[in-house]
């Protein structure tokens, strides 16, 4: 009896706004700030919004609602929730492990934040120990002053020069090696920043939703404040509107290219946070009768709006940078980490009081990337009798964070950025996320039953979902997922760096191993469950017997529908 009394009950959000803020902080992340604006510019400007909205409506929103409902209905994490819905769908959680690789981005941002308190900013000049003779001081007039002397160099000959901000990123922060086959030494500054990020992550979730629910009041709200401040500041800079026009100028001819549609699909999946398990976990801490239907629709709208507005913030700064340098905007646009760690720091260095704007930007990046309780909550739900005792969760979190930190030490080496790009490109790419989303739609739409899921939503919220979502869960989203999954392979290109570096063959093989590990576990789990099953198959007769006995999971959902019809 005493042992049972020591087991803590599963927690809930103390206030509804804690869930809203936590979900908003989860879905609005780094991809909204650095990925969407670049993809919009790259794939036809305003024309890119058409495929983006197409996938947002037919894939993003249905999957977002589906995962939120699953969490709230089962009151379980991303692993154990499927035991109440469709046990064969377990095993699709591997992809969430690879998302931990983005902790290194927070470490880079933290290191930049530390450097923001220097005057002048270290990336704004060429008078540093890491600079070379090719360095160009970005604060000099017309960008013609070169570190080695008074020679003038045309910026069109970009291969002959390096901006001071690029050299700071490559030679000081990363000390980048020649390739992934040359890992080099550990960068101790980055290592300490990575350790600080994991310590902050631990203390933000060490008491579960009790601590996370309080942390999100700051981590979720502050980035929006910073984004609004940077937006107002950016739009008032000279050259800003040229950047905005460049960002949104439509090129409808690009819609005929497969790459544009694949980029839109991947961006929606990344930014909506689907298939990673976080939406299921956050929803599982809701009260049973929370209106998750309305919450999901508002959160999806918030996500897409934030991505769109972030583009104005980024490209107004890029337009200003192009104006100051007297060069075309396409020469200052960078993709991926380059946009966050090269383009915007360079723009901030050209503004009045550069330390303030740079600090605001990197603090926003750090708070956008603060992690949630996804994996740890799932493990605790798997072993509630052991993990929900006093201090068990805290000890487990210490071990989990420590293991993740040790594994990620390899990312702090001189060749770590190559490993980061390899993992980002293969392990958690759009195709892997699509496959997990396809499994979820199949498990719910056909295994559990889309009609039953609608009954569940109506019983919990009092509102029946639109028939549109039922059609998406059964037909539209799985069909689009299959088509795009094939499209990703047709559009596949081996990973290369911005400098044209080709990875060795063993690195590509490692990438494919990581990609396959994200998708093959679920089918293997399903086959093993079928082969090892000792009970008869769930036929129509057995299903009726299970319902008559008041079974959980699908039977309970059917009971909801029957009570609604007879009542």
């Amino acid at each position: 009896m005493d042992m049972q009394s020591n087991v803590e009950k599963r927690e809930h959000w103390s206030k509804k706004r804690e869930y809203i803020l936590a979900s908003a902080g989860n879905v609005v992340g780094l991809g909204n700030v650095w990925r969407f604006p670049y993809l919009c510019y790259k794939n036809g400007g305003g024309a890119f919004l058409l495929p983006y909205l197409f996938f947002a409506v037919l894939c993003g929103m249905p999957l977002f609602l589906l995962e939120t409902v699953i969490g709230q209905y089962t009151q379980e994490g991303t692993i154990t929730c499927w035991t109440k819905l469709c046990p064969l769908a377990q095993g699709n959680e591997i992809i969430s492990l690879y998302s931990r690789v983005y902790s290194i981005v927070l470490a880079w941002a933290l290191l930049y934040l530390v450097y923001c308190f220097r005057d002048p900013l270290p990336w704004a000049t060429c008078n540093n120990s890491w600079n070379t003779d090719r360095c160009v001081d970005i604060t000099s007039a017309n960008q013609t002053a070169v570190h080695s002397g008074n020679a003038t160099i045309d910026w069109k000959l970009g291969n002959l020069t390096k901006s001071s901000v690029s050299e700071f990123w490559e030679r000081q922060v990363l000390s980048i090696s020649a390739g992934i086959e040359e890992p080099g030494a550990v960068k101790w500054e980055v290592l300490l920043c990575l350790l600080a990020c994991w310590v902050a992550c631990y203390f933000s979730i060490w008491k579960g939703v009790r601590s996370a629910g309080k942390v999100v009041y700051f981590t979720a709200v502050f980035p929006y404040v910073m984004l609004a401040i940077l937006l107002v500041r950016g739009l008032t800079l000279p050259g800003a509107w040229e950047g905005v026009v460049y960002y949104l100028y439509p090129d409808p001819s690009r819609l005929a290219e497969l790459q544009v549609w694949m980029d839109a699909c991947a961006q929606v999946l990344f930014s909506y946070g689907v298939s990673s398990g976080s939406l299921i976990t956050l929803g599982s801490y809701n009260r049973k009768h929370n209106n998750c239907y309305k919450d999901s629709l508002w959160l999806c709208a918030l996500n897409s709006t934030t991505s769109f507005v972030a583009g104005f913030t980024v490209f107004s700064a890029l337009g200003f940078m192009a104006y100051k340098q007297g060069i075309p905007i396409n020469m200052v646009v960078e993709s991926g980490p380059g946009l966050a760690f090269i383009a915007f720091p360079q723009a901030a260095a050209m503004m009045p009081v550069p330390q303030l704007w740079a600090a605001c930007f990197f603090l926003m990046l750090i708070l956008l990337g603060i992690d949630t309780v996804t994996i740890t909550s799932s493990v605790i739900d798997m072993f509630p009798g052991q993990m929900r005792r006093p201090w068990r969760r805290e000890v487990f979190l210490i071990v989990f964070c420590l293991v993740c930190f040790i594994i990620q030490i390899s990312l702090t080496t001189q060749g770590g950025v190559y490993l980061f790009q390899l993992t980002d490109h293969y392990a958690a790419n759009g195709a892997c996320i699509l496959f997990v989303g396809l499994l979820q739609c199949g498990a719910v739409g056909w295994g559990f039953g889309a009609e039953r899921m609608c009954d569940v939503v109506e019983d919990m919220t009092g509102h029946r979902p639109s028939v549109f979502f039922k059609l998406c869960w059964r037909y539209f989203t799985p069909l689009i997922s299959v088509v795009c999954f094939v499209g990703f392979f047709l559009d596949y290109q081996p990973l290369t760096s911005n400098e044209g570096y080709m990875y060795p063959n063993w690195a590509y093989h490692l990438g494919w191993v990581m990609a396959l590990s994200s998708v093959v576990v679920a089918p293997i789990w399903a086959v093993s469950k079928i082969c090892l099953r000792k009970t008869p198959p769930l036929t129509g007769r057995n299903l009726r017997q299970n319902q008559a006995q008041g079974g959980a999971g699908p039977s309970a959902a059917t009971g909801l529908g029957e009570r609604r019809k007879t009542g």
Side-chain angles (χ1 to χ4, degrees):
M1 184 65 66
D2 292 337
M3 293 293 290
Q4 291 294 329
S5 61
N6 288 334
V7 178
E8 301 173 356
K9 293 183 179 180
R10 202 174 195 276
E11 304 162 301
H12 292 95
W13 301 107
S14 60
K15 294 182 176 65
K16 180 183 177 68
R17 59 175 173 265
E18 293 182 358
Y19 164 70
I20 297 296
L21 290 174
S23 297
N26 175 69
V27 299
V28 178
L30 301 172
N32 301 79
V33 175
W34 81 17
R35 201 166 186 269
F36 177 84
Y38 172 76
L39 290 178
C40 196
Y41 143 76
K42 171 189 171 186
N43 293 305
F48 179 72
L49 297 177
L50 179 62
Y52 176 84
L53 291 175
F54 173 82
F55 288 111
V57 172
L58 294 178
C59 290
M61 291 174 60
L63 286 173
F64 191 103
L65 175 61
L66 177 65
E67 295 189 13
T68 303
V69 171
I70 289 173
Q72 184 169 313
Y73 169 60
T74 62
Q75 299 285 289
E76 297 281 352
T78 183
I79 297 177
T80 53
C81 69
W82 295 106
T83 60
K84 298 183 178 180
L85 298 174
C86 182
L88 295 182
Q90 287 181 287
N92 56 12
E93 299 81 17
I94 300 299
I95 194 171
S96 61
L97 294 173
Y98 289 118
S99 64
R100 297 299 165 283
V101 73
Y102 295 103
S103 298
I104 191 63
V105 178
L106 305 185
W108 294 333
L110 180 58
L111 183 58
Y112 267 82
L113 181 62
V114 172
Y115 279 115
C116 286
F117 295 96
R118 293 190 180 183
D119 187 22
L121 291 173
W123 59 80
T125 67
C126 290
N127 302 319
N128 304 288
S129 59
W130 58 81
N131 293 125
T132 66
D133 292 341
R134 297 193 307 156
C135 178
V136 175
D137 188 340
I138 65 172
T139 61
S140 60
N142 299 323
Q143 313 304 316
T144 56
V146 183
H147 182 54
S148 59
N150 296 322
T152 58
I153 295 181
D154 191 341
W155 267 81
K156 294 181 180 179
L157 302 177
N159 60 323
L160 299 179
T161 65
K162 277 280 189 180
S163 69
S164 56
V165 69
S166 295
E167 289 204 344
F168 176 79
W169 166 244
E170 295 176 1
R171 298 177 59 83
Q172 172 62 8
V173 175
L174 300 179
S175 295
I176 191 168
S177 65
I180 193 173
E181 63 273 21
E182 300 179 17
V186 171
K187 291 286 295 179
W188 67 268
E189 303 99 327
V190 180
L191 181 66
L192 291 178
C193 289
L194 180 63
L195 177 61
C197 290
W198 276 110
V199 170
C201 178
Y202 171 79
F203 282 107
S204 67
I205 63 175
W206 74 311
K207 291 296 184 181
V209 296
R210 283 178 293 172
S211 58
K214 303 302 181 289
V215 171
V216 294
Y217 281 102
F218 177 70
T219 60
V221 174
F222 188 79
Y224 284 98
V225 176
M226 289 296 98
L227 189 62
I229 293 174
L230 293 172
L231 174 63
V232 173
R233 178 55 185 159
L235 293 178
T236 58
L237 294 170
W241 288 105
E242 286 76 5
V244 171
V245 170
Y246 202 79
Y247 164 50
L248 293 178
Y249 186 79
D251 182 7
S253 63
R254 299 296 307 279
L255 296 178
E257 300 178 14
L258 178 63
Q259 177 66 43
V260 174
W261 293 84
M262 294 300 98
D263 283 346
C265 179
Q267 174 59 23
V268 167
L269 297 174
F270 276 120
S271 64
Y272 276 57
V274 297
S275 302
S276 65
S278 58
L279 297 177
I280 295 178
T281 301
L282 294 175
S284 69
Y285 291 109
N286 281 330
R287 305 287 177 179
K288 196 73 171 182
H289 294 286
N290 174 64
N291 194 342
C292 56
Y293 181 50
K294 183 177 68 174
D295 294 344
S296 298
L297 298 182
W298 278 110
L299 286 169
C300 289
L302 175 66
N303 185 302
S304 296
T305 302
T306 304
S307 296
F308 183 66
V309 172
F312 287 91
T313 303
V314 171
F315 271 83
S316 62
L318 295 178
F320 165 72
M321 188 164 61
Y323 169 82
K324 291 283 288 186
Q325 294 176 335
I327 60 177
I329 294 179
N330 63 348
M331 295 186 66
V332 300
V333 175
E334 294 277 351
S335 64
L339 184 58
F341 297 105
I342 296 179
F344 198 91
Q346 186 167 344
M350 297 178 181
M351 298 179 187
V353 197
Q355 290 80 6
L356 172 63
W357 305 112
C360 288
F361 177 76
F362 287 112
L363 185 57
M364 180 184 69
L365 279 188
I366 293 171
L367 296 178
L368 284 174
I370 291 295
D371 211 339
T372 60
V373 293
T374 303
I375 292 182
T376 55
S377 295
S378 299
V379 174
I380 292 171
D381 287 336
M382 289 178 66
F383 309 102
Q386 293 76 29
M387 302 301 297
R388 290 180 185 162
R389 299 185 184 280
W391 296 103
R392 297 285 182 89
R393 182 205 344 248
E394 290 81 355
V395 173
F396 167 72
L397 276 174
I398 290 178
V399 175
F400 175 78
C401 293
L402 182 62
V403 170
C404 289
F405 169 73
I406 293 174
I407 293 175
Q408 292 178 356
I409 290 178
S410 59
L411 298 176
T412 66
T413 63
Q414 293 174 302
V417 67
Y418 296 105
L419 181 59
F420 167 78
Q421 292 176 334
L422 187 73
T423 307
D424 177 61
H425 188 78
Y426 287 97
N429 61 19
C432 298
I433 297 177
L434 269 175
F435 186 81
V436 175
L438 176 63
L439 290 178
Q440 291 179 344
C441 285
V444 173
W446 296 94
F448 183 80
E451 185 68 28
R452 295 176 186 171
M453 185 57 70
C454 291
D455 294 340
V456 166
V457 176
E458 184 175 13
D459 182 70
M460 292 191 301
T461 68
H463 300 280
R464 191 166 185 81
S466 168
V467 67
F468 167 77
F469 288 105
K470 184 172 72 171
L471 293 175
C472 285
W473 294 334
R474 286 181 66 90
Y475 304 108
F476 298 156
T477 304
L479 178 61
I480 293 173
S481 298
V482 170
V483 172
C484 291
F485 187 76
V486 175
F488 273 109
F489 286 97
L490 295 178
D491 192 54
Y492 168 75
Q493 295 178 353
L495 174 64
T496 59
S497 69
N498 291 338
E499 303 295 332
Y501 166 74
M502 293 289 296
Y503 284 72
N505 288 332
W506 64 264
Y508 290 121
H509 296 157
L510 175 62
W512 279 108
V513 168
M514 290 189 291
L516 290 175
S517 67
S518 299
V519 300
V520 302
V521 174
I524 292 176
W525 174 271
V527 172
S528 63
K529 289 282 287 185
I530 294 173
C531 294
L532 298 177
R533 190 171 186 171
K534 297 181 180 180
T535 58
L538 193 60
T539 62
R541 179 180 179 182
N542 291 335
L543 180 59
R544 288 191 295 271
Q545 292 176 350
N546 187 29
Q547 294 172 1
Q549 295 171 0
S555 318
T558 304
L560 293 174
E562 292 174 351
R563 288 194 297 271
R564 192 189 77 258
K565 293 174 183 177
T566 58

